[in-house]
Amino acid sequence: VWIWYVTKHLAHTVKGMNVWIQTAVPMMTVQNAKDVRERPVWIWYVTKHLAHTVKEMNVLIQNAVLMVTAKVAQSVMRDNVRIMTATVLIPFAHIVTMASV
């Protein structure tokens, strides 16, 4: 009788556990499917945000490079003008000096 009760109880427990596992698995699958479905959205948002950030940084870098290039070009041009002016002025000064003598 005791063995029968124990066996019956175990059979009931196993059956109960089987029912529980069978219920839990679809629930977990649904939950996972939902997570998987929500994750691509999350990944998409992150990717979009990163792409946007990278684009902004590219624009920022491009602008910075352009500004620096423009500054350098301007400096070089100023220096060139200075050098050209000096080159023109020195012989002129020399000629003026020669003429005054």
Side-chain angles (χ1 to χ4, degrees):
V1 173
W2 181 80
I3 288 168
W4 184 79
Y5 270 110
V6 169
T7 314
K8 192 181 169 195
H9 183 71
L10 281 175
H12 185 74
T13 308
V14 166
K15 198 176 140 189
M17 277 188 71
N18 273 348
V19 167
W20 183 80
I21 289 165
Q22 280 171 17
T23 312
V25 168
M27 274 171 68
M28 278 164 68
T29 313
V30 164
Q31 190 63 43
N32 281 343
K34 192 173 158 222
D35 283 353
V36 166
R37 206 169 59 233
E38 279 170 6
R39 262 193 209 121
V41 171
W42 180 79
I43 289 166
W44 183 78
Y45 271 108
V46 168
T47 313
K48 193 179 167 197
H49 183 69
L50 283 174
H52 188 74
T53 308
V54 165
K55 199 170 126 188
E56 271 182 0
M57 278 188 70
N58 275 348
V59 167
L60 212 76
I61 289 164
Q62 278 175 22
N63 282 354
V65 166
L66 282 173
M67 277 169 67
V68 167
T69 313
K71 273 259 165 62
V72 167
Q74 212 176 29
S75 296
V76 166
M77 206 173 106
R78 261 202 224 114
D79 273 2
N80 276 349
V81 167
R82 255 208 300 265
I83 291 163
M84 277 163 65
T85 312
T87 314
V88 169
L89 280 175
I90 290 163
F92 182 72
H94 185 65
I95 291 161
V96 167
T97 320
M98 291 269 290
S100 60
V101 170

